[in-house]
Amino acid sequence: MKHNRRDFLKRSSVLAGSAVAGSAVAGSAIAASLVTVPMAEAAPVRRGAKPRMTLRFRAYTIQLRHVFTIATSSRTTTPVVLTEIEYDGITGYGEASMPPYLGESHESATAFLSKVDLSRYENPFELETILHDIDALAPGNPAAKAAVDIALHDLVGRMLRQPWYNIWGFDAAKTPHTSFTIGIDTQDVVRQKTVEAAEYKVLKVKLGRDTDKMMVETIRSVTDKPITADVNQGWKDRAVALDMLHWLHEKNVVMVEQPLPKEQVDDLAWLTERSPVPIIGDEGVQRLADIPKAKGVYSGINIKLMKCTGMREAHKMIVLARSLGMKVMLGCMTETSCGISAASHLSPMVDWADLDGALLISNDVYDGTQVLDGKVTLRNRPGIGVKKLKG
Ligand code: MG
């Protein structure tokens, strides 16, 4: 048993991965070095040998520009894990972003990624097989799985020398405007953030506390542009919620995310039937298999790569939701431009985009999809379209 464990540690560099995660938590995230899994695959490919994929990953902590408060929590940092998959001299980039309330962490993601052995696949183009196997490695871990999915998509796009919006057949000109999120705060801060957000055509306001009407009225004292609202399960009573939805509709709030706790399925269906604005499921809809039972409960779904294991499943979710006549929103966590760029290639297909995650952070690691004049603006670069900025 002891011997097996030592072999396993040697093979998967769990020890190195843990040390990296630990140092990142302690605040020296940038200094964390790349961890190669398995180490043996990092060696130069022998002449004549078939190239194989190598996965590397490192823990990193992104810093938020402002304290970010939603109905249930506040924070100033988000733990992420950055991945790279190298094959035949080409490198694809990926990311797992893990807000603490969702249950994943530096430790859980590095432990999961230590189990991933991409060297056994000869052909990186076999996305369906490879990513099915990754998903089957362990339950949960959607962000860690997305970190492999995104890097593999980036690698394949670079090998094809095409951006993913082209591979999927989407029109890059049809990207939506992204909303810009205003967290729960004091009246003065909300007013100031609304003024600063002049570039954005849609604002997203976080609700779910007893300051809801103040938040919306403060924004309305500055601008009449459309607002989307995210309650993050913060309301509990469906009749009170319906009154609020009518009030919000009068204030030109055009859509509301997760007004009630996800467990109140019957109340959500009751509310969706009567609501003057579309009701979007976020916390209540994680993955592809959740969509059929979300029909009738919500008007639409909020797809996030970090909830659904990445680009492959997100694409399937859009197709399925559309086939059921549901609306689609594309969201994000606080992420670097890597995760945001990956999601942005799907954005020509959605009703609403909330892809402001990289705009809220101060230590981005990549240059990728931009927000220009409030519009998601894809780069004509292969893969997910990112360039590494540092480290
Ligand atoms: Mg939400």
Side-chain angles (χ1 to χ4, degrees):
M1 185 68 189
K2 196 176 171 186
H3 190 69
N4 286 345
R5 179 172 156 76
R6 194 181 307 132
D7 282 354
F8 172 74
L9 292 175
K10 203 194 278 178
R11 196 171 68 245
S12 61
S13 0
V14 161
L15 285 174
S18 304
V20 167
S23 68
V25 170
S28 57
I30 300 170
S33 60
L34 283 167
V35 179
T36 303
V37 181
M39 292 301 279
E41 295 298 326
V45 176
R46 292 189 310 278
R47 187 183 298 274
K50 282 185 179 167
R52 295 292 171 133
M53 287 183 281
T54 305
L55 172 68
R56 297 187 291 265
F57 56 90
R58 66 171 170 136
Y60 187 69
T61 300
I62 56 181
Q63 308 289 333
L64 310 189
R65 291 183 191 279
H66 304 284
V67 178
F68 192 62
T69 302
I70 64 171
T72 48
S73 59
S74 273
R75 66 179 195 278
T76 55
T77 63
T78 303
V80 303
V81 171
L82 304 175
T83 52
E84 297 182 8
I85 298 176
E86 189 176 340
Y87 175 84
D88 207 13
I90 300 174
T91 301
Y93 298 99
E95 174 180 12
S97 171
M98 300 164 294
Y101 61 91
L102 293 175
E104 291 184 79
S105 63
H106 280 153
E107 291 75 11
S108 69
T110 51
F112 179 85
L113 293 169
S114 298
K115 293 184 208 159
V116 175
D117 176 13
L118 296 179
S119 68
R120 65 197 185 94
Y121 302 100
E122 284 188 17
N123 182 2
F125 290 98
E126 290 174 5
L127 289 162
E128 288 294 327
T129 302
I130 298 167
L131 294 172
H132 175 272
D133 291 351
I134 299 293
D135 192 19
L137 274 178
N141 295 285
K145 291 171 182 175
V148 180
D149 170 286
I150 294 168
L152 187 57
H153 277 81
D154 192 33
L155 172 71
V156 165
R158 287 171 190 263
M159 290 170 71
L160 293 169
R161 298 182 185 173
Q162 288 295 327
W164 269 93
Y165 64 80
N166 263 352
I167 297 170
W168 276 324
F170 301 154
D171 181 350
K174 288 188 177 165
T175 53
H177 288 89
T178 180
S179 53
F180 183 81
T181 303
I182 296 180
I184 296 171
D185 224 313
T186 63
Q187 203 165 1
D188 285 347
V189 175
V190 170
R191 190 179 295 114
Q192 185 199 334
K193 283 187 182 170
T194 307
V195 170
E196 288 170 6
E199 177 193 348
Y200 302 96
K201 310 293 186 242
V202 185
L203 296 176
K204 170 168 165 172
V205 61
K206 291 286 192 179
L207 301 180
R209 291 192 177 174
D210 53 10
T211 51
D212 288 356
K213 288 192 175 177
M214 177 281 285
M215 291 282 299
V216 173
E217 278 172 339
T218 304
I219 294 171
R220 279 287 165 260
S221 73
V222 179
T223 176
D224 58 3
K225 65 179 70 162
I227 299 175
T228 67
D230 189 356
V231 186
N232 289 114
Q233 315 185 80
W235 301 340
K236 306 300 172 199
D237 181 279
R238 69 184 193 181
V240 175
L242 186 58
D243 284 348
M244 268 304 287
L245 290 172
H246 281 290
W247 185 84
L248 291 170
H249 180 52
E250 285 170 16
K251 300 287 178 188
N252 195 23
V253 171
V254 297
M255 170 268 274
V256 174
E257 267 180 78
Q258 204 67 51
L260 299 171
K262 60 184 178 182
E263 295 79 14
Q264 290 177 223
V265 174
D266 292 345
D267 291 338
L268 282 160
W270 182 91
L271 203 57
T272 294
E273 204 180 329
R274 290 160 180 80
S275 174
V277 295
I279 302 295
I280 303 300
D282 183 1
E283 287 85 345
V285 183
Q286 309 289 319
R287 298 197 55 178
L288 184 67
D290 297 327
I291 296 179
K293 51 191 186 237
K295 168 80 176 163
V297 177
Y298 303 101
S299 327
I301 59 169
N302 185 350
I303 298 172
K304 295 173 182 168
L305 300 190
M306 300 302 153
K307 289 195 299 184
C308 76
T309 73
M311 298 167 71
R312 166 178 166 267
E313 186 151 323
H315 182 272
K316 294 173 197 265
M317 289 177 78
I318 294 175
V319 173
L320 179 56
R322 289 282 181 226
S323 76
L324 293 170
M326 298 180 78
K327 297 205 172 288
V328 178
M329 171 181 181
L330 188 61
C332 63
M333 309 298 178
T334 42
E335 299 167 12
T336 74
S337 286
C338 182
I340 298 298
S341 297
S344 70
H345 287 260
L346 292 156
S347 71
M349 296 296 285
V350 306
D351 300 294
W352 299 283
D354 179 31
L355 295 177
D356 61 353
L359 305 170
L360 304 174
I361 74 173
S362 59
N363 59 341
D364 204 345
V365 192
Y366 298 95
D367 166 65
T369 294
Q370 297 171 301
V371 176
L372 298 178
D373 221 9
K375 185 177 162 75
V376 176
T377 307
L378 292 155
R379 309 297 275 272
N380 184 15
R381 296 175 181 165
I384 63 169
V386 292
K387 287 183 179 169
K388 210 169 172 180
L389 291 175
K390 59 188 174 187

